[in-house]
Amino acid sequence: MTAACPGCAATAGLAQDSAPAPSSADLLLHLPDITCAACIASVETTLAALPGVRDARVNLSRKQVRISGPRLDPEALIDALARAGHRAQELQDGLLAGQGDEMRNLLLRTGVAGFAMMNVMLLSVAVWSGAAETTEQMFHLISAAIALPAVGFAARPFFASAATALRAGRLNMDVPISLAILLAALVSLIGALQGADRHSWFDAALALTFFLLIGRTLDHAGRSAARSAAAELAALRVPQALRLGPDGPTVVRADSLVAGDIIELRPGDRLPADGVVEAGQSDLDRAALTGESLPHPVAPGANVAAGEVNLSGPLRVRVTRAGQNTMLSQLQELVATAEMQRSRYAGLADRAARAYAPLVHLLGLAAFLSWWQMTGDAWRAVDVAIAVLVITCPCALGLAVPAVSVVATGRLFRKGLLVKSRSALERLAEIDLVAFDKTGTLTSGVPSLASAPTDAALALAASLAAASSHPYSRALVAAAEARDLTLLPLADLRERPGLGIEAMHDGHLLRLGRPSWIGVEGDGVALDPGQGAPVLFRFQETLRPDAAEAIAALQRAGLSVALLSGDTDAPCQHIARALGIAQVQSAMTPEAKAAWVTAQTQAGHRVLMVGDGLNDTGALSVAHGSLALGSGLDAPQSAADVVLLSGRLTEIPALLASAQSATARMRQNILLSLGYNLIAVPVALAGLATPFLAALAMSLSSLTVSLNALRNLR
């Protein structure tokens, strides 16, 4: 690959200005290694020679190429660029995109059902007002022309759900709902075509569909669809690597690496495999796997893992594990498995409906057979059966949980808590043990100076640190500013990757960096002042200002609290003592955290895991309930049931209290809906309710449930 040339700046500007936004048919590839006009020409020439490529335009400043063509195969394009010596990766925007258009579809179906219902009701009023014979039949046929397409479109979610359940040999809440809608529409259509002197129930079918869709929309609105945590982890996987061979570095697919291969990592590269550093010194961003915010220095012999980012110097790494054997792949599999298990969780209403749905069908069948035998009028028997099915349809039961959920989640959202899972409130109400991650969760994740150096030593250290963005460097500069110290002028300042910074001052070489580089024992940062003894600067994490109050509130509520961290034992014990936490687990890997949570669950505890790092994702996924901080990474937020947007830890006790209150009201609403049926079912069985009146009664029960939810959580 050609080095940067004087024409690069101009070429980059032209590429950026001339490249239009990609259309939906275009393909975007990321090119991490391109540096100049020669790279642009090589990439564009290579791609233009491939079949199916109509145009290829490189954006140098963004290191992207936009490829246009009718049938583009990303794998073939990436392979062709690799043969030309260019690494490429597909930009999968859809992988990290938000949810689809389910809410829009629900609102559209609800609107169609409501509009059609109002029109059919107007026609029904005309019939009830005295229209007869030809006029009555015409109104019935017009009602059919309005109702049947509207029902077919609006009630499709219920029909599809019922069909899926029946194919699986089971009943769900949507089976009696679908049966009632279909019977009301079918019987009304037959009557309209025959010109029978009887009322049609198109309005009842539409009313039932309309109110049920309102419940389904409330259920969807009460939660926010989450991006898959497994997909977030998959986004960290690197598709290609620079493998060193006899002829130098070669671009290869990451899944083709095997143990023993030597790969090259440049600053900014993400590791494609687990391995051991063979040559070079650098700092790694390990937040993806450990959750620790501080860069981690590595040197020959250090272990590195896929997903970590090389920050400063070049490295050569010997591969030990690649492909599906890496720590990142194992973590991804753990999260994906946990997500599938979580999706099988049954809510309160679903459990009640398992016994309720068969009873509805039996009642409807019993009503039809009884009235047919008593009267000999099949149409009258069908009317009563429809009324029984409609009045006993579990609409209120379906609203019992989401009505409370909408109110509770809305209230929590205003307090900075985003509830994402539909079953989260029920599970959070059962919590008896809260496990916290340390760094970034109970602490700010930003180090502060713990030692008390002299003003002269601190001024020298801060002068060197001002040229670095390392968290320890920022802490030194902040400490110097707090003392109002003046930074000193330095000459020949340069960074030593993986070691520190050095510069000249008054003829002396100053060095600031890793203690072992300076020749000092201990943790933190050491200063070689050029004359005199080296100075060691120690740092400590700062507790979140509300951490102690939150922990105390949880303990007053009778909950146990534990601290889980990947950090060493000493800082973990220091934080635990400051907060009054008795259970402390230190030096934990992501797998160890998940295993600890699983063990506590098997011991009978209901664990709430609270974290902010990718290393917490596995534990968040297997916990009975989970909460991620809004200031953390995307993947833990995706895996968690609740995201703490406000960052106030004191809202966690309030969240658990609200969950207990909401779950109690959910149960109360279920009892109300069942109590309604104890009164309404005998009325329908006695033939005292028409299908339309049954639909109104069902709607009234749904309204009662909704108002009860509002009263409880206002």
Side-chain angles (χ1 to χ4, degrees):
M1 192 172 291
T2 309
C5 58
C8 278
T11 307
L14 289 174
Q16 184 173 10
D17 294 339
S18 60
S23 67
S24 58
D26 292 343
L27 178 68
L28 272 176
L29 297 180
H30 175 56
L31 306 169
D33 297 331
I34 61 172
T35 57
C36 64
C39 298
I40 294 175
S42 176
V43 170
E44 292 182 347
T45 301
T46 300
L47 293 174
L50 298 177
V53 175
R54 183 170 56 245
D55 185 37
R57 301 294 296 277
V58 173
N59 184 323
L60 181 62
S61 62
R62 295 186 178 183
K63 296 196 173 185
Q64 296 175 358
V65 58
R66 177 180 60 85
I67 310 165
S68 302
R71 291 177 298 276
L72 298 175
D73 181 2
E75 297 295 327
L77 299 175
I78 292 173
D79 287 342
L81 288 172
R83 289 191 295 270
H86 302 288
R87 285 188 294 168
Q89 179 179 4
E90 186 177 1
L91 293 179
Q92 302 177 2
D93 292 337
L95 184 66
L96 303 178
Q99 59 184 350
D101 55 355
E102 183 181 354
M103 175 59 80
R104 185 187 65 182
N105 287 334
L106 284 173
L107 291 173
L108 178 60
R109 295 180 195 278
T110 304
V112 168
F115 181 76
M117 177 185 68
M118 289 186 290
N119 283 276
V120 171
M121 282 183 175
L122 290 175
L123 294 171
S124 299
V125 170
V127 173
W128 295 336
S129 300
E133 299 180 355
T134 304
T135 303
E136 180 182 8
Q137 184 179 15
M138 180 185 68
F139 282 167
H140 284 329
L141 291 174
I142 294 175
S143 296
I146 297 173
L148 294 179
V151 166
F153 172 75
R156 185 176 177 182
F158 308 114
F159 296 154
S161 174
T164 301
L166 292 175
R167 282 196 297 268
R170 59 182 176 84
L171 297 175
N172 64 5
M173 291 174 61
D174 290 328
V175 174
I177 288 172
S178 301
L179 182 59
I181 294 173
L182 289 174
L183 277 177
L186 181 60
V187 170
S188 300
L189 176 62
I190 294 174
L193 293 175
Q194 292 179 347
D197 185 18
R198 52 188 303 278
H199 293 302
S200 66
W201 308 120
F202 292 118
D203 48 3
L206 286 167
L208 183 60
T209 303
F210 175 69
F211 288 110
L212 287 169
L213 281 170
I214 290 178
R216 188 67 57 91
T217 304
L218 286 174
D219 182 29
H220 184 78
R223 55 190 172 86
S224 174
R227 293 174 293 187
S228 169
E232 296 285 353
L233 292 173
L236 294 177
R237 302 179 74 172
V238 181
Q240 295 177 323
L242 286 174
R243 183 168 59 195
L244 298 180
D247 300 327
T250 305
V251 179
V252 298
R253 289 194 170 276
D255 54 16
S256 70
L257 294 173
V258 296
D261 283 345
I262 304 297
I263 59 176
E264 181 179 278
L265 289 171
R266 299 166 181 172
D269 283 352
R270 191 180 295 275
L271 273 81
D274 297 349
V276 178
V277 176
E278 289 282 310
Q281 293 181 329
S282 183
D283 291 302
L284 295 184
D285 179 357
R286 289 186 160 176
L289 294 178
T290 68
E292 299 301 321
S293 58
L294 301 178
H296 182 78
V298 293
N303 293 318
V304 294
E308 298 174 348
V309 180
N310 183 26
L311 295 178
S312 48
L315 294 174
R316 290 191 179 186
V317 175
R318 176 171 50 84
V319 174
T320 56
R321 294 185 299 182
Q324 298 301 317
N325 297 321
T326 64
M327 182 187 298
L328 181 63
S329 296
Q330 292 171 1
L331 185 59
Q332 180 187 352
E333 183 178 356
L334 171 68
V335 173
T337 301
E339 285 179 343
M340 288 188 291
Q341 292 172 346
R342 177 65 51 81
S343 67
R344 294 196 294 269
Y345 191 93
L348 290 170
D350 293 334
R351 292 200 295 269
R354 290 174 186 172
Y356 187 62
L359 181 61
V360 172
H361 295 89
L362 291 176
L363 284 175
L365 179 61
F368 173 76
L369 294 176
S370 300
W371 277 86
W372 191 12
Q373 184 178 9
M374 287 188 303
T375 63
D377 185 350
W379 290 114
R380 175 59 175 158
V382 169
D383 282 351
V384 174
I386 293 174
V388 170
L389 284 173
V390 171
I391 211 167
T392 57
C393 271
C395 182
L397 186 60
L399 277 174
V401 172
V404 178
S405 179
V406 167
V407 177
T409 53
R411 180 184 178 209
L412 290 170
F413 181 76
R414 289 190 291 272
K415 301 179 75 171
L417 291 156
L418 176 61
V419 181
K420 296 163 39 192
S421 170
R422 70 173 66 194
S423 61
L425 292 175
E426 182 181 350
R427 285 182 281 108
L428 290 172
E430 301 169 345
I431 296 299
D432 61 3
L433 170 60
V434 184
F436 285 91
D437 172 51
K438 179 178 69 69
T439 304
T441 303
L442 291 176
T443 68
S444 64
V446 178
S448 60
L449 186 62
S451 54
T454 64
D455 287 352
L458 181 57
L460 281 176
S463 300
L464 288 163
S468 172
S469 59
H470 193 285
Y472 284 169
S473 297
R474 292 196 295 267
L476 287 171
V477 173
E481 291 176 348
R483 296 192 191 181
D484 199 23
L485 300 178
T486 302
L487 300 186
L488 306 175
L490 302 176
D492 298 330
L493 189 145
R494 57 186 178 274
E495 184 173 0
R496 298 287 298 275
L499 297 175
I501 301 172
E502 60 184 17
M504 298 297 296
H505 176 67
D506 287 343
H508 298 287
L509 177 65
L510 309 181
R511 294 187 300 161
L512 177 74
R514 192 183 303 177
S516 59
W517 182 45
I518 306 299
V520 176
E521 295 281 341
D523 296 326
V525 171
L527 169 70
D528 178 2
Q531 52 182 348
V535 180
L536 180 64
F537 298 89
R538 294 185 175 87
F539 300 86
Q540 65 183 6
E541 293 182 276
T542 304
L543 281 173
R544 287 181 177 266
D546 57 352
E549 182 182 352
I551 299 299
L554 291 171
Q555 293 172 338
R556 285 196 302 270
L559 301 174
S560 300
V561 180
L563 174 64
L564 312 181
S565 177
D567 208 347
T568 56
D569 188 62
C572 291
Q573 292 292 344
H574 173 74
I575 295 298
R577 286 193 297 270
L579 296 175
I581 299 176
Q583 297 188 59
V584 181
Q585 301 290 329
S586 58
M588 300 189 80
T589 64
E591 294 84 358
K593 285 188 177 183
W596 186 90
V597 172
T598 301
Q600 295 299 315
T601 301
Q602 293 172 347
H605 290 289
R606 297 292 181 262
V607 182
L608 171 65
M609 180 66 198
V610 183
D612 74 321
L614 198 57
N615 65 314
D616 303 317
T617 309
L620 290 167
S621 299
V622 300
H624 194 67
S626 52
L627 182 145
L629 270 63
S631 57
L633 300 176
D634 286 343
Q637 293 178 22
S638 299
D641 298 313
V642 182
V643 177
L644 184 60
L645 300 175
S646 68
R648 297 188 298 270
L649 296 180
T650 49
E651 298 297 347
I652 297 177
L655 166 67
L656 299 180
S658 295
Q660 293 171 356
S661 176
T663 303
R665 189 45 54 107
M666 290 176 187
R667 293 194 177 96
Q668 188 179 98
N669 271 354
I670 290 176
L671 292 177
L672 282 173
S673 63
L674 294 176
Y676 147 79
N677 280 287
L678 291 177
I679 299 173
V681 169
V683 174
L685 288 173
L688 301 177
T690 65
F692 182 74
L693 291 177
L696 291 180
M698 178 273 299
S699 303
L700 181 61
S701 70
S702 302
L703 181 62
T704 302
V705 165
S706 299
L707 291 177
N708 189 48
L710 290 169
R711 179 187 65 81
N712 178 67
L713 296 171
R714 182 169 299 168

